[in-house]
Amino acid sequence: MAMLLSSALAVSAVLAAEPFPSTYQVPANPPLLIQSAVVLTGTGERLDGADILIENGRIQAVGRALSAPAGARIVAAQGRWVTPGLIDIHSHLGVYPSPGVKGLDDGNEATSPNTANVWAEHSIWPQDPGFETALEGGVTTLQVLPGSANLIGGRSVVVKNVAAVTYQAMKFPGAAYGLKMACGENPKRVYGDKNQAPATRMGNVAGYRQAFADAEDYAQQWDKYRHDVTDYNAKDAKDKKKDSSPPVPPKRDLKLETLAEVLHGNIRVHIHCYRSDEMATMLDVADEFGFKIAAFHHAVEAYKIADRLAQRGVCAAMWADWWGFKMEAFDGIQENLPMVDYPDHSCAIVHSDSEDGIQRLNQEAAKAMAHGARIGLAVAPERAIRWLTLNPAKSLGLDKRIGTLEAGKAADLVIWNGNPFSVYALAQQVFIDGALTFDRDHRQAKPRSDFLLGQSAGGAPL
């Protein structure tokens, strides 16, 4: 009996623990004072001629005429702009790395419509050269997601864009997992072509609902088990001796375990969804089962329901101008981002879904700003920077830690050679937790993927 109970409690402890913990450590660095820059704080402010003081990996102060502590490094930034580090909430770096060969094609477990049991982090190849090129574009944090073949594709992971040998050393400490879901054409094409469900959009919705209905039942089984364990532990030794049936835990199901964590609010839901009517349906599915959607991704028709998304506190992660490459992308417009950004309490995000686009997210935002201005929706740089920093941080539940340049937050920031929304803008220096991770003027010091060692940019041996 004691052995059975010990085993049951051990299973419960496993469920409560993080089985693949982050090993990332904030590097030790001397204090840093960046002086006389144009600072876009990410809070909606623009500060001209401002300083930023960093100590122990955190921002200590943002203001003018700040004093440098003893031993501080000074960066004179006159004529340059500083922003928070950029955050891409839709990336497949590491799971669909470069080179794009079959041996590294690990982003989609397209063997079942519901693969909630898989975790993207277990496919990440830290040597992907795409991490370096993203860093050169100012990206300091990214959410790596499974692909969109499935109704429920599995868990995403948030990583810091640092050079590392293992993914655990990149993993953002304490960041919540995400659940990648997909509606529309992808799952019905992938599985309909195999003559299995779902083959239609109604099959898609039935699949989501059944998955969460099963997860509700699973969560209830575990809740009952924990209640029974509490009751059993409250008994005195005599009563325990009489009881020949101590609580036995339900069999662990990794798929249902992930979905149950969604229902408990511990995993954030990110849904690949193009059409406004399908986004509305998914909001209803979320209401039926009591979970919240963190963001719709791609969301080319988000402009049609911008007010509703703002009212519900749901972010929309969008491209500047991708459209028309399949039927559900047909109603995409170039004004989508500024229109979604317009309502009060909105959460518009620029994302990449591309190893190329992630290198120039600032330019993608600039394109959306230009298209907004043409229809009378002018967006100032101090607001537009939030599409790349604060808003994605909100969608990840990390806005108390990153996404803005405020005292107490992590010192993730980018020094640009000018206005970051210029086509000529380049990230000159990139800092993560106060550590210089990229310096354009000293490129020989930048991290190199093991994969690229001995290769030139053109592929010829060095």
Side-chain angles (χ1 to χ4, degrees), residues 86-93 130-144 161 322 351-362 364:
L86 307 191
I87 303 167
D88 189 358
I89 72 159
H90 192 114
S91 177
H92 300 298
L93 292 184
F131 288 119
E132 298 173 36
T133 52
L135 185 67
E136 293 180 21
V139 175
T140 56
T141 302
L142 50 155
Q143 177 177 222
V144 179
N161 197 4
W322 287 19
H351 73 347
S352 76
D353 191 28
S354 162
E355 69 275 18
D356 298 316
I358 197 172
Q359 300 174 39
R360 48 192 68 85
L361 287 174
N362 59 311
E364 294 300 299

PDB file of all heavy atoms in Angstrom, residues 86-93 130-144 161 322 351-362 364:
ATOM      1  N   LEU A  86      13.854  43.227 -30.374  1.00  0.00           N
ATOM      2  CA  LEU A  86      12.669  42.793 -31.118  1.00  0.00           C
ATOM      3  C   LEU A  86      12.297  41.370 -30.720  1.00  0.00           C
ATOM      4  O   LEU A  86      13.154  40.538 -30.401  1.00  0.00           O
ATOM      5  CB  LEU A  86      12.924  42.866 -32.623  1.00  0.00           C
ATOM      6  CG  LEU A  86      13.441  44.206 -33.169  1.00  0.00           C
ATOM      7  CD1 LEU A  86      13.388  44.199 -34.694  1.00  0.00           C
ATOM      8  CD2 LEU A  86      12.679  45.392 -32.606  1.00  0.00           C
ATOM      9  N   ILE A  87      11.002  41.092 -30.767  1.00  0.00           N
ATOM     10  CA  ILE A  87      10.465  39.788 -30.371  1.00  0.00           C
ATOM     11  C   ILE A  87       9.644  39.241 -31.525  1.00  0.00           C
ATOM     12  O   ILE A  87       8.706  39.899 -31.989  1.00  0.00           O
ATOM     13  CB  ILE A  87       9.577  39.921 -29.112  1.00  0.00           C
ATOM     14  CG1 ILE A  87      10.356  40.553 -27.953  1.00  0.00           C
ATOM     15  CG2 ILE A  87       9.011  38.564 -28.707  1.00  0.00           C
ATOM     16  CD1 ILE A  87       9.481  40.991 -26.789  1.00  0.00           C
ATOM     17  N   ASP A  88       9.989  38.065 -32.003  1.00  0.00           N
ATOM     18  CA  ASP A  88       9.211  37.416 -33.066  1.00  0.00           C
ATOM     19  C   ASP A  88       8.419  36.275 -32.440  1.00  0.00           C
ATOM     20  O   ASP A  88       9.007  35.299 -31.963  1.00  0.00           O
ATOM     21  CB  ASP A  88      10.123  36.883 -34.161  1.00  0.00           C
ATOM     22  CG  ASP A  88       9.350  36.397 -35.383  1.00  0.00           C
ATOM     23  OD1 ASP A  88       8.102  36.441 -35.365  1.00  0.00           O
ATOM     24  OD2 ASP A  88       9.990  35.980 -36.364  1.00  0.00           O
ATOM     25  N   ILE A  89       7.090  36.393 -32.436  1.00  0.00           N
ATOM     26  CA  ILE A  89       6.286  35.351 -31.781  1.00  0.00           C
ATOM     27  C   ILE A  89       5.906  34.217 -32.725  1.00  0.00           C
ATOM     28  O   ILE A  89       5.245  33.275 -32.294  1.00  0.00           O
ATOM     29  CB  ILE A  89       5.019  35.919 -31.108  1.00  0.00           C
ATOM     30  CG1 ILE A  89       3.962  36.346 -32.128  1.00  0.00           C
ATOM     31  CG2 ILE A  89       5.347  37.043 -30.175  1.00  0.00           C
ATOM     32  CD1 ILE A  89       2.574  36.406 -31.509  1.00  0.00           C
ATOM     33  N   HIS A  90       6.341  34.292 -33.979  1.00  0.00           N
ATOM     34  CA  HIS A  90       6.035  33.173 -34.881  1.00  0.00           C
ATOM     35  C   HIS A  90       7.280  32.849 -35.693  1.00  0.00           C
ATOM     36  O   HIS A  90       7.511  33.387 -36.770  1.00  0.00           O
ATOM     37  CB  HIS A  90       4.874  33.499 -35.812  1.00  0.00           C
ATOM     38  CG  HIS A  90       4.357  32.283 -36.534  1.00  0.00           C
ATOM     39  ND1 HIS A  90       3.100  31.767 -36.321  1.00  0.00           N
ATOM     40  CD2 HIS A  90       4.940  31.449 -37.441  1.00  0.00           C
ATOM     41  CE1 HIS A  90       2.915  30.698 -37.079  1.00  0.00           C
ATOM     42  NE2 HIS A  90       4.042  30.487 -37.767  1.00  0.00           N
ATOM     43  N   SER A  91       8.082  31.941 -35.147  1.00  0.00           N
ATOM     44  CA  SER A  91       9.306  31.532 -35.815  1.00  0.00           C
ATOM     45  C   SER A  91       9.388  30.009 -35.847  1.00  0.00           C
ATOM     46  O   SER A  91       8.870  29.330 -34.961  1.00  0.00           O
ATOM     47  CB  SER A  91      10.524  32.087 -35.083  1.00  0.00           C
ATOM     48  OG  SER A  91      11.727  31.629 -35.686  1.00  0.00           O
ATOM     49  N   HIS A  92      10.042  29.514 -36.885  1.00  0.00           N
ATOM     50  CA  HIS A  92      10.343  28.083 -36.969  1.00  0.00           C
ATOM     51  C   HIS A  92      11.855  27.851 -37.030  1.00  0.00           C
ATOM     52  O   HIS A  92      12.293  26.774 -37.443  1.00  0.00           O
ATOM     53  CB  HIS A  92       9.669  27.472 -38.197  1.00  0.00           C
ATOM     54  CG  HIS A  92       8.175  27.593 -38.200  1.00  0.00           C
ATOM     55  ND1 HIS A  92       7.387  27.014 -37.240  1.00  0.00           N
ATOM     56  CD2 HIS A  92       7.333  28.237 -39.047  1.00  0.00           C
ATOM     57  CE1 HIS A  92       6.113  27.291 -37.483  1.00  0.00           C
ATOM     58  NE2 HIS A  92       6.059  28.036 -38.570  1.00  0.00           N
ATOM     59  N   LEU A  93      12.630  28.867 -36.612  1.00  0.00           N
ATOM     60  CA  LEU A  93      14.071  28.667 -36.577  1.00  0.00           C
ATOM     61  C   LEU A  93      14.396  27.495 -35.653  1.00  0.00           C
ATOM     62  O   LEU A  93      13.775  27.303 -34.608  1.00  0.00           O
ATOM     63  CB  LEU A  93      14.773  29.930 -36.079  1.00  0.00           C
ATOM     64  CG  LEU A  93      14.729  31.154 -37.002  1.00  0.00           C
ATOM     65  CD1 LEU A  93      15.560  32.286 -36.413  1.00  0.00           C
ATOM     66  CD2 LEU A  93      15.201  30.830 -38.410  1.00  0.00           C
ATOM     67  N   GLY A 130      20.211  30.556 -38.929  1.00  0.00           N
ATOM     68  CA  GLY A 130      19.161  31.564 -38.915  1.00  0.00           C
ATOM     69  C   GLY A 130      19.093  32.338 -37.612  1.00  0.00           C
ATOM     70  O   GLY A 130      18.664  33.502 -37.601  1.00  0.00           O
ATOM     71  N   PHE A 131      19.506  31.731 -36.502  1.00  0.00           N
ATOM     72  CA  PHE A 131      19.512  32.465 -35.239  1.00  0.00           C
ATOM     73  C   PHE A 131      20.456  33.665 -35.317  1.00  0.00           C
ATOM     74  O   PHE A 131      20.157  34.745 -34.815  1.00  0.00           O
ATOM     75  CB  PHE A 131      19.918  31.548 -34.085  1.00  0.00           C
ATOM     76  CG  PHE A 131      18.875  30.534 -33.702  1.00  0.00           C
ATOM     77  CD1 PHE A 131      19.138  29.174 -33.792  1.00  0.00           C
ATOM     78  CD2 PHE A 131      17.625  30.933 -33.247  1.00  0.00           C
ATOM     79  CE1 PHE A 131      18.183  28.234 -33.431  1.00  0.00           C
ATOM     80  CE2 PHE A 131      16.657  29.994 -32.885  1.00  0.00           C
ATOM     81  CZ  PHE A 131      16.937  28.648 -32.983  1.00  0.00           C
ATOM     82  N   GLU A 132      21.609  33.468 -35.963  1.00  0.00           N
ATOM     83  CA  GLU A 132      22.577  34.552 -36.074  1.00  0.00           C
ATOM     84  C   GLU A 132      22.056  35.684 -36.959  1.00  0.00           C
ATOM     85  O   GLU A 132      22.198  36.869 -36.615  1.00  0.00           O
ATOM     86  CB  GLU A 132      23.886  34.016 -36.650  1.00  0.00           C
ATOM     87  CG  GLU A 132      24.564  32.973 -35.785  1.00  0.00           C
ATOM     88  CD  GLU A 132      25.757  32.355 -36.476  1.00  0.00           C
ATOM     89  OE1 GLU A 132      26.466  33.082 -37.215  1.00  0.00           O
ATOM     90  OE2 GLU A 132      25.992  31.145 -36.300  1.00  0.00           O
ATOM     91  N   THR A 133      21.475  35.334 -38.091  1.00  0.00           N
ATOM     92  CA  THR A 133      20.993  36.385 -38.983  1.00  0.00           C
ATOM     93  C   THR A 133      19.806  37.121 -38.371  1.00  0.00           C
ATOM     94  O   THR A 133      19.625  38.325 -38.592  1.00  0.00           O
ATOM     95  CB  THR A 133      20.633  35.809 -40.361  1.00  0.00           C
ATOM     96  OG1 THR A 133      19.753  34.690 -40.214  1.00  0.00           O
ATOM     97  CG2 THR A 133      21.881  35.356 -41.101  1.00  0.00           C
ATOM     98  N   ALA A 134      19.001  36.411 -37.583  1.00  0.00           N
ATOM     99  CA  ALA A 134      17.915  37.081 -36.866  1.00  0.00           C
ATOM    100  C   ALA A 134      18.479  38.059 -35.833  1.00  0.00           C
ATOM    101  O   ALA A 134      17.963  39.171 -35.653  1.00  0.00           O
ATOM    102  CB  ALA A 134      17.010  36.059 -36.188  1.00  0.00           C
ATOM    103  N   LEU A 135      19.547  37.662 -35.153  1.00  0.00           N
ATOM    104  CA  LEU A 135      20.186  38.539 -34.178  1.00  0.00           C
ATOM    105  C   LEU A 135      20.699  39.808 -34.852  1.00  0.00           C
ATOM    106  O   LEU A 135      20.576  40.912 -34.308  1.00  0.00           O
ATOM    107  CB  LEU A 135      21.331  37.798 -33.491  1.00  0.00           C
ATOM    108  CG  LEU A 135      22.048  38.529 -32.359  1.00  0.00           C
ATOM    109  CD1 LEU A 135      21.117  38.718 -31.163  1.00  0.00           C
ATOM    110  CD2 LEU A 135      23.300  37.765 -31.939  1.00  0.00           C
ATOM    111  N   GLU A 136      21.243  39.673 -36.040  1.00  0.00           N
ATOM    112  CA  GLU A 136      21.744  40.833 -36.772  1.00  0.00           C
ATOM    113  C   GLU A 136      20.607  41.778 -37.168  1.00  0.00           C
ATOM    114  O   GLU A 136      20.848  42.945 -37.466  1.00  0.00           O
ATOM    115  CB  GLU A 136      22.515  40.376 -38.016  1.00  0.00           C
ATOM    116  CG  GLU A 136      23.796  39.643 -37.686  1.00  0.00           C
ATOM    117  CD  GLU A 136      24.549  39.187 -38.909  1.00  0.00           C
ATOM    118  OE1 GLU A 136      24.317  39.761 -40.000  1.00  0.00           O
ATOM    119  OE2 GLU A 136      25.381  38.266 -38.798  1.00  0.00           O
ATOM    120  N   GLY A 137      19.383  41.269 -37.171  1.00  0.00           N
ATOM    121  CA  GLY A 137      18.218  42.111 -37.417  1.00  0.00           C
ATOM    122  C   GLY A 137      17.593  42.654 -36.149  1.00  0.00           C
ATOM    123  O   GLY A 137      16.529  43.270 -36.196  1.00  0.00           O
ATOM    124  N   GLY A 138      18.229  42.426 -34.999  1.00  0.00           N
ATOM    125  CA  GLY A 138      17.747  42.990 -33.747  1.00  0.00           C
ATOM    126  C   GLY A 138      16.810  42.102 -32.958  1.00  0.00           C
ATOM    127  O   GLY A 138      16.239  42.546 -31.960  1.00  0.00           O
ATOM    128  N   VAL A 139      16.635  40.830 -33.355  1.00  0.00           N
ATOM    129  CA  VAL A 139      15.708  39.931 -32.657  1.00  0.00           C
ATOM    130  C   VAL A 139      16.413  39.294 -31.467  1.00  0.00           C
ATOM    131  O   VAL A 139      17.392  38.566 -31.625  1.00  0.00           O
ATOM    132  CB  VAL A 139      15.163  38.849 -33.609  1.00  0.00           C
ATOM    133  CG1 VAL A 139      14.304  37.847 -32.851  1.00  0.00           C
ATOM    134  CG2 VAL A 139      14.354  39.497 -34.727  1.00  0.00           C
ATOM    135  N   THR A 140      15.901  39.566 -30.278  1.00  0.00           N
ATOM    136  CA  THR A 140      16.510  39.063 -29.048  1.00  0.00           C
ATOM    137  C   THR A 140      15.722  37.914 -28.422  1.00  0.00           C
ATOM    138  O   THR A 140      16.273  37.142 -27.650  1.00  0.00           O
ATOM    139  CB  THR A 140      16.656  40.196 -28.023  1.00  0.00           C
ATOM    140  OG1 THR A 140      15.382  40.805 -27.787  1.00  0.00           O
ATOM    141  CG2 THR A 140      17.634  41.262 -28.529  1.00  0.00           C
ATOM    142  N   THR A 141      14.430  37.817 -28.725  1.00  0.00           N
ATOM    143  CA  THR A 141      13.575  36.765 -28.171  1.00  0.00           C
ATOM    144  C   THR A 141      12.681  36.242 -29.280  1.00  0.00           C
ATOM    145  O   THR A 141      12.200  37.021 -30.109  1.00  0.00           O
ATOM    146  CB  THR A 141      12.691  37.309 -27.029  1.00  0.00           C
ATOM    147  OG1 THR A 141      13.516  37.868 -26.012  1.00  0.00           O
ATOM    148  CG2 THR A 141      11.821  36.209 -26.425  1.00  0.00           C
ATOM    149  N   LEU A 142      12.442  34.942 -29.307  1.00  0.00           N
ATOM    150  CA  LEU A 142      11.526  34.405 -30.303  1.00  0.00           C
ATOM    151  C   LEU A 142      10.779  33.210 -29.743  1.00  0.00           C
ATOM    152  O   LEU A 142      11.289  32.484 -28.881  1.00  0.00           O
ATOM    153  CB  LEU A 142      12.243  34.038 -31.604  1.00  0.00           C
ATOM    154  CG  LEU A 142      13.491  33.184 -31.580  1.00  0.00           C
ATOM    155  CD1 LEU A 142      13.656  32.468 -32.926  1.00  0.00           C
ATOM    156  CD2 LEU A 142      14.725  34.055 -31.351  1.00  0.00           C
ATOM    157  N   GLN A 143       9.551  33.055 -30.228  1.00  0.00           N
ATOM    158  CA  GLN A 143       8.766  31.868 -29.915  1.00  0.00           C
ATOM    159  C   GLN A 143       8.892  30.902 -31.080  1.00  0.00           C
ATOM    160  O   GLN A 143       8.532  31.246 -32.214  1.00  0.00           O
ATOM    161  CB  GLN A 143       7.293  32.214 -29.688  1.00  0.00           C
ATOM    162  CG  GLN A 143       6.437  30.972 -29.429  1.00  0.00           C
ATOM    163  CD  GLN A 143       4.986  31.268 -29.121  1.00  0.00           C
ATOM    164  OE1 GLN A 143       4.399  30.662 -28.229  1.00  0.00           O
ATOM    165  NE2 GLN A 143       4.378  32.192 -29.842  1.00  0.00           N
ATOM    166  N   VAL A 144       9.409  29.730 -30.798  1.00  0.00           N
ATOM    167  CA  VAL A 144       9.561  28.698 -31.822  1.00  0.00           C
ATOM    168  C   VAL A 144       8.361  27.774 -31.722  1.00  0.00           C
ATOM    169  O   VAL A 144       8.078  27.198 -30.667  1.00  0.00           O
ATOM    170  CB  VAL A 144      10.872  27.920 -31.642  1.00  0.00           C
ATOM    171  CG1 VAL A 144      10.990  26.827 -32.700  1.00  0.00           C
ATOM    172  CG2 VAL A 144      12.063  28.871 -31.722  1.00  0.00           C
ATOM    173  N   ASN A 161      17.768  34.652 -27.965  1.00  0.00           N
ATOM    174  CA  ASN A 161      18.563  34.463 -29.172  1.00  0.00           C
ATOM    175  C   ASN A 161      20.051  34.570 -28.842  1.00  0.00           C
ATOM    176  O   ASN A 161      20.737  35.513 -29.235  1.00  0.00           O
ATOM    177  CB  ASN A 161      18.166  35.496 -30.227  1.00  0.00           C
ATOM    178  CG  ASN A 161      18.646  35.096 -31.607  1.00  0.00           C
ATOM    179  OD1 ASN A 161      19.202  34.018 -31.790  1.00  0.00           O
ATOM    180  ND2 ASN A 161      18.437  35.968 -32.580  1.00  0.00           N
ATOM    181  N   TRP A 322       1.814  39.979 -47.010  1.00  0.00           N
ATOM    182  CA  TRP A 322       1.631  38.675 -47.639  1.00  0.00           C
ATOM    183  C   TRP A 322       0.134  38.436 -47.860  1.00  0.00           C
ATOM    184  O   TRP A 322      -0.664  38.608 -46.946  1.00  0.00           O
ATOM    185  CB  TRP A 322       2.168  37.569 -46.741  1.00  0.00           C
ATOM    186  CG  TRP A 322       3.659  37.477 -46.653  1.00  0.00           C
ATOM    187  CD1 TRP A 322       4.566  38.434 -46.972  1.00  0.00           C
ATOM    188  CD2 TRP A 322       4.415  36.355 -46.196  1.00  0.00           C
ATOM    189  NE1 TRP A 322       5.838  37.989 -46.730  1.00  0.00           N
ATOM    190  CE2 TRP A 322       5.778  36.713 -46.245  1.00  0.00           C
ATOM    191  CE3 TRP A 322       4.071  35.092 -45.728  1.00  0.00           C
ATOM    192  CZ2 TRP A 322       6.799  35.836 -45.860  1.00  0.00           C
ATOM    193  CZ3 TRP A 322       5.080  34.222 -45.337  1.00  0.00           C
ATOM    194  CH2 TRP A 322       6.426  34.590 -45.417  1.00  0.00           C
ATOM    195  N   HIS A 351       4.953  39.735 -37.242  1.00  0.00           N
ATOM    196  CA  HIS A 351       5.674  38.468 -37.068  1.00  0.00           C
ATOM    197  C   HIS A 351       6.310  38.070 -38.383  1.00  0.00           C
ATOM    198  O   HIS A 351       6.113  38.729 -39.411  1.00  0.00           O
ATOM    199  CB  HIS A 351       4.749  37.372 -36.540  1.00  0.00           C
ATOM    200  CG  HIS A 351       3.764  36.830 -37.539  1.00  0.00           C
ATOM    201  ND1 HIS A 351       3.484  37.418 -38.736  1.00  0.00           N
ATOM    202  CD2 HIS A 351       2.976  35.716 -37.512  1.00  0.00           C
ATOM    203  CE1 HIS A 351       2.584  36.710 -39.401  1.00  0.00           C
ATOM    204  NE2 HIS A 351       2.256  35.666 -38.671  1.00  0.00           N
ATOM    205  N   SER A 352       7.111  37.002 -38.360  1.00  0.00           N
ATOM    206  CA  SER A 352       7.824  36.646 -39.585  1.00  0.00           C
ATOM    207  C   SER A 352       7.314  35.365 -40.239  1.00  0.00           C
ATOM    208  O   SER A 352       6.952  35.378 -41.402  1.00  0.00           O
ATOM    209  CB  SER A 352       9.329  36.511 -39.302  1.00  0.00           C
ATOM    210  OG  SER A 352       9.624  35.308 -38.628  1.00  0.00           O
ATOM    211  N   ASP A 353       7.321  34.242 -39.523  1.00  0.00           N
ATOM    212  CA  ASP A 353       7.056  32.925 -40.116  1.00  0.00           C
ATOM    213  C   ASP A 353       8.047  32.662 -41.255  1.00  0.00           C
ATOM    214  O   ASP A 353       7.728  31.967 -42.197  1.00  0.00           O
ATOM    215  CB  ASP A 353       5.607  32.830 -40.610  1.00  0.00           C
ATOM    216  CG  ASP A 353       5.207  31.405 -40.993  1.00  0.00           C
ATOM    217  OD1 ASP A 353       5.776  30.462 -40.423  1.00  0.00           O
ATOM    218  OD2 ASP A 353       4.336  31.243 -41.868  1.00  0.00           O
ATOM    219  N   SER A 354       9.225  33.234 -41.149  1.00  0.00           N
ATOM    220  CA  SER A 354      10.174  33.168 -42.261  1.00  0.00           C
ATOM    221  C   SER A 354      11.581  33.393 -41.746  1.00  0.00           C
ATOM    222  O   SER A 354      11.819  34.305 -40.945  1.00  0.00           O
ATOM    223  CB  SER A 354       9.826  34.248 -43.296  1.00  0.00           C
ATOM    224  OG  SER A 354      10.908  34.516 -44.157  1.00  0.00           O
ATOM    225  N   GLU A 355      12.537  32.581 -42.236  1.00  0.00           N
ATOM    226  CA  GLU A 355      13.925  32.788 -41.850  1.00  0.00           C
ATOM    227  C   GLU A 355      14.511  34.025 -42.506  1.00  0.00           C
ATOM    228  O   GLU A 355      15.542  34.553 -42.075  1.00  0.00           O
ATOM    229  CB  GLU A 355      14.781  31.554 -42.191  1.00  0.00           C
ATOM    230  CG  GLU A 355      15.001  31.299 -43.661  1.00  0.00           C
ATOM    231  CD  GLU A 355      13.872  30.510 -44.316  1.00  0.00           C
ATOM    232  OE1 GLU A 355      12.766  30.430 -43.753  1.00  0.00           O
ATOM    233  OE2 GLU A 355      14.114  29.962 -45.419  1.00  0.00           O
ATOM    234  N   ASP A 356      13.837  34.522 -43.555  1.00  0.00           N
ATOM    235  CA  ASP A 356      14.266  35.765 -44.206  1.00  0.00           C
ATOM    236  C   ASP A 356      13.600  36.980 -43.560  1.00  0.00           C
ATOM    237  O   ASP A 356      14.263  37.947 -43.208  1.00  0.00           O
ATOM    238  CB  ASP A 356      13.928  35.733 -45.698  1.00  0.00           C
ATOM    239  CG  ASP A 356      14.645  34.611 -46.420  1.00  0.00           C
ATOM    240  OD1 ASP A 356      15.851  34.420 -46.164  1.00  0.00           O
ATOM    241  OD2 ASP A 356      14.016  33.921 -47.230  1.00  0.00           O
ATOM    242  N   GLY A 357      12.282  36.909 -43.382  1.00  0.00           N
ATOM    243  CA  GLY A 357      11.549  38.040 -42.833  1.00  0.00           C
ATOM    244  C   GLY A 357      11.984  38.399 -41.426  1.00  0.00           C
ATOM    245  O   GLY A 357      11.939  39.571 -41.038  1.00  0.00           O
ATOM    246  N   ILE A 358      12.437  37.427 -40.645  1.00  0.00           N
ATOM    247  CA  ILE A 358      12.844  37.697 -39.272  1.00  0.00           C
ATOM    248  C   ILE A 358      14.071  38.597 -39.221  1.00  0.00           C
ATOM    249  O   ILE A 358      14.334  39.251 -38.214  1.00  0.00           O
ATOM    250  CB  ILE A 358      13.110  36.368 -38.522  1.00  0.00           C
ATOM    251  CG1 ILE A 358      13.120  36.596 -37.003  1.00  0.00           C
ATOM    252  CG2 ILE A 358      14.392  35.717 -38.986  1.00  0.00           C
ATOM    253  CD1 ILE A 358      13.190  35.321 -36.190  1.00  0.00           C
ATOM    254  N   GLN A 359      14.804  38.682 -40.337  1.00  0.00           N
ATOM    255  CA  GLN A 359      16.002  39.515 -40.374  1.00  0.00           C
ATOM    256  C   GLN A 359      15.688  40.996 -40.546  1.00  0.00           C
ATOM    257  O   GLN A 359      16.569  41.839 -40.345  1.00  0.00           O
ATOM    258  CB  GLN A 359      16.907  39.066 -41.524  1.00  0.00           C
ATOM    259  CG  GLN A 359      17.364  37.633 -41.427  1.00  0.00           C
ATOM    260  CD  GLN A 359      18.126  37.196 -42.660  1.00  0.00           C
ATOM    261  OE1 GLN A 359      18.914  37.966 -43.228  1.00  0.00           O
ATOM    262  NE2 GLN A 359      17.906  35.971 -43.092  1.00  0.00           N
ATOM    263  N   ARG A 360      14.454  41.321 -40.913  1.00  0.00           N
ATOM    264  CA  ARG A 360      14.103  42.724 -41.183  1.00  0.00           C
ATOM    265  C   ARG A 360      12.668  43.033 -40.749  1.00  0.00           C
ATOM    266  O   ARG A 360      11.881  43.606 -41.484  1.00  0.00           O
ATOM    267  CB  ARG A 360      14.330  43.052 -42.655  1.00  0.00           C
ATOM    268  CG  ARG A 360      13.746  42.024 -43.636  1.00  0.00           C
ATOM    269  CD  ARG A 360      14.244  42.253 -45.050  1.00  0.00           C
ATOM    270  NE  ARG A 360      15.659  41.970 -45.172  1.00  0.00           N
ATOM    271  CZ  ARG A 360      16.187  40.767 -45.399  1.00  0.00           C
ATOM    272  NH1 ARG A 360      15.392  39.721 -45.531  1.00  0.00           N
ATOM    273  NH2 ARG A 360      17.481  40.603 -45.495  1.00  0.00           N
ATOM    274  N   LEU A 361      12.340  42.627 -39.546  1.00  0.00           N
ATOM    275  CA  LEU A 361      11.008  42.913 -39.008  1.00  0.00           C
ATOM    276  C   LEU A 361      10.756  44.412 -38.934  1.00  0.00           C
ATOM    277  O   LEU A 361       9.615  44.869 -39.078  1.00  0.00           O
ATOM    278  CB  LEU A 361      10.854  42.289 -37.627  1.00  0.00           C
ATOM    279  CG  LEU A 361      10.711  40.768 -37.564  1.00  0.00           C
ATOM    280  CD1 LEU A 361      10.707  40.300 -36.119  1.00  0.00           C
ATOM    281  CD2 LEU A 361       9.453  40.300 -38.270  1.00  0.00           C
ATOM    282  N   ASN A 362      11.805  45.185 -38.691  1.00  0.00           N
ATOM    283  CA  ASN A 362      11.638  46.638 -38.635  1.00  0.00           C
ATOM    284  C   ASN A 362      11.147  47.190 -39.969  1.00  0.00           C
ATOM    285  O   ASN A 362      10.313  48.109 -40.009  1.00  0.00           O
ATOM    286  CB  ASN A 362      12.961  47.307 -38.234  1.00  0.00           C
ATOM    287  CG  ASN A 362      14.108  46.990 -39.193  1.00  0.00           C
ATOM    288  OD1 ASN A 362      14.347  45.825 -39.529  1.00  0.00           O
ATOM    289  ND2 ASN A 362      14.826  48.008 -39.625  1.00  0.00           N
ATOM    290  N   GLU A 364       9.376  45.456 -42.178  1.00  0.00           N
ATOM    291  CA  GLU A 364       7.993  45.016 -42.341  1.00  0.00           C
ATOM    292  C   GLU A 364       7.046  45.977 -41.628  1.00  0.00           C
ATOM    293  O   GLU A 364       5.987  46.351 -42.148  1.00  0.00           O
ATOM    294  CB  GLU A 364       7.827  43.598 -41.786  1.00  0.00           C
ATOM    295  CG  GLU A 364       8.587  42.532 -42.555  1.00  0.00           C
ATOM    296  CD  GLU A 364       8.146  42.459 -44.010  1.00  0.00           C
ATOM    297  OE1 GLU A 364       6.953  42.185 -44.265  1.00  0.00           O
ATOM    298  OE2 GLU A 364       8.996  42.694 -44.894  1.00  0.00           O
TER     299      GLU A 364
END
